[in-house]
Structure formats: structure tokens, C-alpha cells
């Protein structure tokens, strides 16, 4: 999953990004003014936007209205010091999906972000099961049958994205757009390398799950019947 944080307090933005990466395995981009934030939100298919309201150049509510007018459906969590009931009502009525006021607890922010992402992918249950494979998105634990599987951060990120879309073909472009932020190290066969690592760790131990390559189209994770 890939998140955009639009926040003009640079240190706070970095702390939020760090927490989202470490505690939720999300790819994260940061914009520190509203103009950049709006441009970025409209040009990249984010899974979630964390949006401050008082921003230089373009305010958060204006960004929100513009996104919704243009038909952008990305979930938006407003994170702001504007904490009156009227502010909250206005934020939600402008098209935000959640509203948190500063100061805030970082753990609560992460949990709310995870809940919004689950809903986007129509998976309200934080535990996703496929065959004998089970992915707990709250604790980021992966089990195959009874056995816990240790994955590297990027392998987990890839598996979570694939399993949320189980049965659908996921293109390499979608994987790059949804799992890599601008800071991410990327090389030409990066997706193939991580897919191959995932297959080795998971699928060789499983009789019931397979990650298939659909030539020219992408990858699909699915349950295999006997
Ligand atoms: Ca601000």
C-alpha cells in the first residue's frame, strides 16, 4: 500500500511516514505544501491520503473538494489542529473519510489508516485467508498452516497487496505504483525478484496456494484445488 502524507510541519511529516512504514509496511510519500500535495494526489494512485488542513498555498479542505469533484475516490484521513465540532463536521462533509485532531497518538493514527485501507479493498476482517495461508494485517504476521513465516518488509508488502486482490491479475505497473514510494530503491527486475522470494518462502511449503505468472499481464495469487 502507498500513502501520501500532506503536512507542512516537516518533522511531524517524517515521523508519521516512519511510523506508517515501520508499523504498517506502507510505502509513503510526503508533500509539505498544498499545491504539491494536490498535484501528487491527482497524479498517483494512492491507497490513502493523510491530509493536514492548514497548509501553505492550497488549504486541505480545498484539496479535498477538488479531489472529490474530480471523482478521486482515495480514502482521506484529515489530521489537523482544527478541533471544534464545526471543523470536524465540515471536514467530513467535504469528503474526508476520517478526521483526527492534533495532538494525537501515533498508534491510533496507524490503526485508523489500516482500517481505511481494509475498507478500500473490501476486507473489513484484518485477517485474510487463502487456502492454508493466513495474513494478519494488524500484526503483520503470516502463517502457512500452523507455521509462522518470516518475511522481509517488501515481501510482506507485496504479499498483502496480492492477497487483498486474490484471484485478480495484478500488473507489474500496479505493483510498482502501489508498493514503491519515490525514495524506494528500484531496479528493472525488482518485482520479479520479490515474487520469486515470496514463492520460495511460502508457496513451496503450501499445497493449496500459488502465485502464478500471467505472461504479459502480471501475477495472480489464488487457491489451488486438488
Ligand atoms: Ca499545518
Amino acid at each position: 500500500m502507498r500513502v501520501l502524507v500532506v503536512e507542512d510541519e516537516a518533522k511531524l511529516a517524517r515521523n508519521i511516514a516512519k511510523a506508517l512504514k515501520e508499523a504498517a509496511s506502507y510505502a509513503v510519500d510526503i508533500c509539505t505544501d498544498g499545491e504539491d500535495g494536490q498535484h501528487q494526489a491527482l497524479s498517483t494512485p494512492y491507497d490513502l491520503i493523510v491530509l493536514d488542513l492548514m497548509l501553505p498555498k492550497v488549504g486541505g479542505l480545498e484539496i479535498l473538494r477538488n479531489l472529490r469533484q474530480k471523482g478521486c475516490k482515495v480514502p482521506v484521513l484529515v489530521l489537523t489542529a482544527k478541533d471544534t465540532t464545526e471543523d470536524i463536521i465540515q471536514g467530513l462533509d467535504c469528503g474526508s473519510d476520517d478526521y483526527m485532531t492534533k495532538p494525537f497518538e501515533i498508534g491510533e493514527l496507524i490503526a485508523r489508516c489500516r482500517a481505511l485501507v481494509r475498507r478500500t479493498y473490501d476486507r473489513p476482517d484484518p485477517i485474510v485467508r487463502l487456502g492454508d495461508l493466513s495474513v494478519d494485517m494488524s500484526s503483520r504476521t503470516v502463517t502457512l498452516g500452523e507455521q509462522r513465516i518470516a518475511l522481509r518488509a517488501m515481501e510482506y508488502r507485496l504479499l498483502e497487496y496480492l492477497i487483498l486482490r486474490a484471484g485478480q491479475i495484478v500488473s507489474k505497473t500496479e505493483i510498482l505504483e502501489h508498493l514503491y514510494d519515490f525514495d524506494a530503491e528500484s531496479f528493472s527486475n525488482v518485482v520479479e525478484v520479490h515474487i520469486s522470494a515470496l514463492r520460495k518462502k511460502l508457496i513451496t511449503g503450501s499445497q493449496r496456494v500459488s502465485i502464478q505468472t500471467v505472461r504479459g499481464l502480471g501475477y495472480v495469487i489464488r487457491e489451488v484445488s486438488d
Side-chain angles (χ1 to χ4, degrees):
M1 301 302 148
R2 185 171 176 187
V3 179
L4 175 65
V5 174
V6 189
E7 168 63 67
D8 60 326
E9 288 172 59
K11 187 167 175 238
L12 176 61
R14 282 197 303 275
N15 287 340
I16 293 171
K18 188 167 179 278
L20 286 167
K21 283 180 189 186
E22 289 176 0
S25 292
Y26 294 158
V28 187
D29 295 314
I30 293 173
C31 289
T32 51
D33 76 56
E35 197 172 76
D36 270 359
Q38 179 164 271
H39 172 77
Q40 202 47 47
L42 287 169
S43 56
T44 305
Y46 286 103
D47 295 293
L48 173 71
I49 297 175
V50 176
L51 181 66
D52 185 17
L53 291 187
M54 292 181 278
L55 290 163
K57 297 186 186 173
V58 183
L61 285 181
E62 194 180 334
I63 295 175
L64 200 46
R65 283 193 202 98
N66 288 336
L67 291 180
R68 296 314 187 211
Q69 268 169 21
K70 288 179 168 39
C72 179
K73 291 179 180 165
V74 60
V76 174
L77 183 151
V78 166
L79 181 63
T80 177
K82 291 169 81 80
D83 61 359
T84 68
T85 304
E86 289 74 20
D87 291 326
I88 296 171
I89 291 170
Q90 192 182 28
L92 291 168
D93 280 348
C94 278
S96 80
D97 299 274
D98 200 355
Y99 195 107
M100 265 186 95
T101 56
K102 298 172 184 172
F104 62 99
E105 290 294 331
I106 195 79
E108 183 182 342
L109 174 69
I110 305 296
R112 285 174 184 260
C113 288
R114 281 200 292 251
L116 287 169
V117 168
R118 283 201 304 270
R119 214 167 307 150
T120 306
Y121 286 86
D122 203 17
R123 298 278 192 164
D125 185 349
I127 301 175
V128 183
R129 296 179 183 84
L130 183 73
D132 47 1
L133 179 64
S134 156
V135 176
D136 184 335
M137 295 186 289
S138 304
S139 59
R140 289 177 301 146
T141 50
V142 176
T143 49
L144 194 59
E146 300 294 305
Q147 197 192 350
R148 175 104 169 251
I149 307 287
L151 296 181
R152 300 168 69 135
M154 190 46 94
E155 293 162 2
Y156 175 81
R157 199 185 283 178
L158 177 59
L159 176 64
E160 185 184 88
Y161 187 59
L162 289 175
I163 203 167
L164 282 172
R165 299 186 54 189
Q168 301 170 27
I169 297 171
V170 179
S171 73
K172 191 172 153 181
T173 307
E174 286 175 308
I175 292 173
L176 290 170
E177 280 177 345
H178 285 268
L179 305 189
Y180 289 82
D181 50 47
F182 291 121
D183 292 339
E185 273 185 75
S186 187
F187 42 93
S188 62
N189 64 339
V190 64
V191 174
E192 289 83 350
V193 168
H194 289 304
I195 289 276
S196 158
L198 259 191
R199 279 187 180 134
K200 281 202 186 88
K201 286 191 182 175
L202 296 175
I203 307 309
T204 48
S206 171
Q207 309 300 313
R208 294 177 54 198
V209 175
S210 135
I211 300 177
Q212 296 163 350
T213 303
V214 185
R215 196 181 292 262
L217 293 177
Y219 303 94
V220 56
I221 191 168
R222 57 166 54 117
E223 188 172 359
V224 185
S225 47
D226 325 304

